[in-house]
Amino acid sequence: MPEVIIIGTGFSGLGMAIQLKRQGRNDFVLLEKADDIGGTWRDNSYPGCACDVPSHMYSYSFEPKADWSRAYSRQPEIWDYLKELTDKYGLREHIRFGEEVTSARWEDNQWVVGTSKGEYRGQFLVAGVGALHIPNIPALPGIERFKGHSFHSATWDHEYDLHGKRVAVVGTGASAIQFVPEIVGEVSELHLYQRTPPWVLPRGNGRIKESTQRLFERVPLVRKAYRNAVYWAAESLAVGFNGHPGILKVGEYFGKRHIAKQIADPELRRKVTPDYTLGCKRVLGSNKYYRALTSGHVDVITDGIQEVREHSIVTSGGVEREVDAIIYATGFHVTDSFDYLDIKGREGVDLASKWRDEGIQTHLGITVNGFPNAFFLLGPNTGLGHNSVVFMIESQIRYALDAMRMVRRSRAEAFEVRASVQAAFNDEIQRKLASGVWSTGGCTSWYLDSKGVNRTIWPGFTWQYWLRTRKVDTGDFELTGSRARKLTGVA
């Protein structure tokens, strides 16, 4: 029986498995619903897919990659990086591919995890499923009648030939900003349905010279210094996001200048210029997006979709446009992503129901009262709008491993965060979020749950999160089990 059950093989799940291996432990299993590793970077393969975090920050600090080919890595290179580490650490022997987790329940001081193929029991449960894995496809009126082709950007149909097709793109999120410039030259017409324009700042993605790659390889201190410089440059953005919106005016100036440089038509400029504060929704980057919108066969549509017919889309303004294909660039289920997992904790409490009724609450985005021995990596209120989530994941992995050590050293069978500690943390987080740009910036984003509460973003600097998760405070937890003993000063 494995001691640790890990769900998912993205950055979170693999990172946890690697660190267990580095400690000489093999008592774990990874459950993966697909036939290969990679999570988000396996599933999202749309044209132009790339990371919007600089390459050298979007990798594990304990497994740096010196030869990133571009400033912002593209999907194939990131996926290859994860596959290389999977093989380096011999993780495939621990992975059960094609086993989708259907349930998890706390029973007799252990987790019982059901999959599409069987059942696993272990002392600790690590959910590394992340938030960007369940495509959000809007229920467009009449879509069941549509006789054309449709798919979400996260499930891109590479066998469908877009050449010469009339294509409707619904949504202007991160994926649309990347794939629209890639397909605009293939399609005969592109209808871009925009609800809210994003802030898109200029961003090149030039190749990193081979000489620079060799320097990073041969002189690790130079690479480390470069990574640190990238980190602190990104970290500075948190100042504006967290209660100092005046600083963000600088970014807005460059965003509007970017629009002016690439779009001459005043009406199109008006359509794509945001009316909310930079950072309220995710800030995007591209040097090609606005230019793509100026193509003669592209139409940016700001009217809502009234209905879909057999071969067309009708907007609220009554205009009907014929289309052959619909591509959804509408993001993912984020704040409700755990609604799709059947997780039951102590006394059979259902996690999804608890969070629906009481709101999503955790301690440090990692542990949940009522759910002993469970860790949620990249959990609620640990997402970022300014820096790399891989940094956050590493902090959470270290914290989870420290908690496991705490349980072993106390001779306990289980640990559980105290309700008062969890409540205090959530009160603090929401108080800080109230003054952040996500609450005061004048927009509605996927950061918010159905009640308008931000359950996604970490309101502060990532180094502050690192400090808070560097060491487990034993006073935050209750230890249970027949042999449990009190610990003092344990880390």
Side-chain angles (χ1 to χ4, degrees):
M1 182 181 77
E3 183 178 29
V4 184
I5 300 173
I6 304 170
I7 305 175
T9 61
F11 265 97
S12 297
L14 292 178
M16 173 60 76
I18 290 171
Q19 290 292 28
L20 287 169
K21 278 279 192 177
R22 284 162 63 96
Q23 292 184 357
R25 296 178 59 182
N26 290 288
D27 53 351
F28 64 90
V29 64
L30 295 105
L31 303 177
E32 173 54 60
K33 64 182 178 181
D35 58 3
D36 204 348
I37 64 95
T40 294
W41 296 106
R42 174 198 61 232
D43 296 341
N44 286 267
S45 60
Y46 57 81
C49 182
C51 187
D52 58 4
V53 172
S55 300
H56 283 271
M57 272 306 301
Y58 207 80
S59 54
Y60 302 120
S61 63
F62 52 84
E63 276 292 348
K65 177 178 168 64
D67 60 345
W68 289 110
S69 66
R70 292 181 177 273
Y72 296 88
S73 303
R74 293 179 175 175
Q75 177 263 342
E77 192 168 14
I78 298 173
W79 192 18
D80 284 344
Y81 168 73
L82 293 175
K83 287 189 283 189
E84 288 168 6
L85 293 182
T86 299
D87 294 334
K88 175 180 177 178
Y89 285 94
L91 298 183
R92 291 188 184 275
E93 65 183 82
H94 296 273
I95 303 174
R96 305 296 178 262
F97 290 111
E99 295 211 32
E100 183 172 5
V101 173
T102 56
S103 65
R105 68 183 187 276
W106 178 250
E107 181 180 280
D108 297 329
N109 282 331
Q110 63 181 346
W111 280 100
V112 182
V113 179
T115 76
S116 53
K117 294 183 178 179
E119 190 174 89
Y120 296 83
R121 293 173 179 266
Q123 185 177 15
F124 299 101
L125 176 67
V126 180
V129 297
L132 305 181
H133 66 106
I134 303 175
N136 179 23
I137 300 178
L140 301 179
I143 188 63
E144 69 281 355
R145 295 181 296 169
F146 185 58
K147 296 186 181 299
H149 196 57
S150 63
F151 53 88
H152 192 277
S153 62
T155 55
W156 194 275
D157 188 347
H158 291 279
E159 295 184 1
Y160 182 74
D161 186 7
L162 291 172
H163 186 75
K165 299 295 196 305
R166 298 165 298 184
V167 177
V169 175
V170 180
T172 54
S175 61
I177 302 306
Q178 294 182 341
F179 76 69
V180 164
E182 301 296 322
I183 69 171
V184 70
E186 297 181 45
V187 303
S188 62
E189 296 177 15
L190 196 154
H191 309 298
L192 181 62
Y193 288 85
Q194 172 190 277
R195 184 172 59 180
T196 307
W199 280 103
V200 183
L201 301 183
R203 177 186 294 158
N205 192 16
R207 289 190 171 275
I208 298 175
K209 295 180 180 179
E210 290 186 9
S211 58
T212 302
Q213 295 177 28
R214 288 195 298 270
L215 176 63
F216 287 158
E217 184 78 43
R218 294 171 181 172
V219 189
L221 284 177
V222 174
R223 176 194 47 74
K224 188 173 182 179
Y226 177 76
R227 178 187 168 102
N228 287 340
V230 172
Y231 170 79
W232 288 110
E235 196 73 343
S236 65
L237 297 175
V239 177
F241 290 166
N242 290 279
H244 299 87
I247 298 174
L248 302 174
K249 295 294 182 183
V250 176
E252 292 180 6
Y253 165 77
F254 284 108
K256 290 178 180 179
R257 191 176 74 165
H258 188 40
I259 294 172
K261 280 186 173 183
Q262 295 205 349
I263 299 176
D265 178 21
E267 177 59 18
L268 181 56
R269 284 186 187 178
R270 183 192 65 78
K271 286 182 178 180
V272 301
T273 300
D275 62 357
Y276 55 88
T277 305
L278 179 88
C280 185
K281 296 169 74 74
R282 186 167 182 85
V283 181
L284 308 175
S286 173
N287 280 354
K288 300 188 294 184
Y289 175 67
Y290 288 136
R291 189 176 293 116
L293 302 187
T294 65
S295 302
H297 61 294
V298 176
D299 189 10
V300 177
I301 303 157
T302 56
D303 288 341
I305 295 176
Q306 179 174 297
E307 69 170 318
V308 179
R309 296 176 179 172
E310 285 82 354
H311 302 284
S312 63
I313 294 178
V314 181
T315 62
S316 57
V319 178
E320 182 176 8
R321 296 174 175 85
E322 294 189 352
V323 296
D324 301 304
I326 299 174
I327 303 176
Y328 298 102
T330 45
F332 300 85
H333 288 277
V334 177
T335 58
D336 60 346
S337 61
F338 281 94
D339 285 1
Y340 299 84
L341 285 178
D342 177 15
I343 301 179
K344 290 181 171 59
R346 179 169 43 80
E347 299 177 359
V349 175
D350 180 69
L351 180 66
S353 299
K354 180 181 177 70
W355 279 355
R356 274 197 303 268
D357 296 341
E358 303 174 8
I360 300 174
Q361 295 189 34
T362 70
H363 179 51
L364 296 171
I366 306 172
T367 58
V368 182
N369 176 256
F371 294 79
N373 288 15
F375 306 95
F376 298 87
L377 303 185
L378 206 57
N381 287 118
T382 63
L384 301 174
H386 71 284
N387 214 326
S388 173
V389 294
V390 179
F391 181 91
M392 302 292 277
I393 290 169
E394 285 193 42
S395 297
Q396 293 157 12
I397 291 171
R398 182 178 57 250
Y399 187 86
L401 291 172
D402 199 23
M404 292 180 192
R405 285 193 294 269
M406 174 185 68
V407 172
R408 288 196 298 273
R409 292 176 63 177
S410 69
R411 300 177 186 173
E413 294 174 327
F415 81 98
E416 183 179 340
V417 66
R418 299 178 187 277
S420 59
V421 172
Q422 178 174 293
F425 172 76
N426 282 276
D427 288 346
E428 174 195 352
I429 288 294
Q430 293 305 322
R431 186 170 63 253
K432 290 181 177 179
L433 284 167
S435 61
V437 67
W438 316 279
S439 301
T440 63
C443 77
T444 300
S445 73
W446 55 265
Y447 298 149
L448 311 180
D449 66 11
S450 59
K451 298 178 181 179
V453 180
N454 191 327
R455 304 293 187 181
T456 307
I457 290 291
W458 169 254
F461 297 101
T462 62
W463 61 262
Q464 293 173 318
Y465 188 78
W466 177 86
L467 281 175
R468 295 188 67 164
T469 56
R470 186 173 60 89
K471 195 174 184 180
V472 169
D473 185 342
T474 58
D476 290 345
F477 299 94
E478 293 181 1
L479 297 168
T480 57
S482 59
R483 296 184 301 163
R485 60 186 176 88
K486 186 177 181 180
L487 296 180
T488 56
V490 172

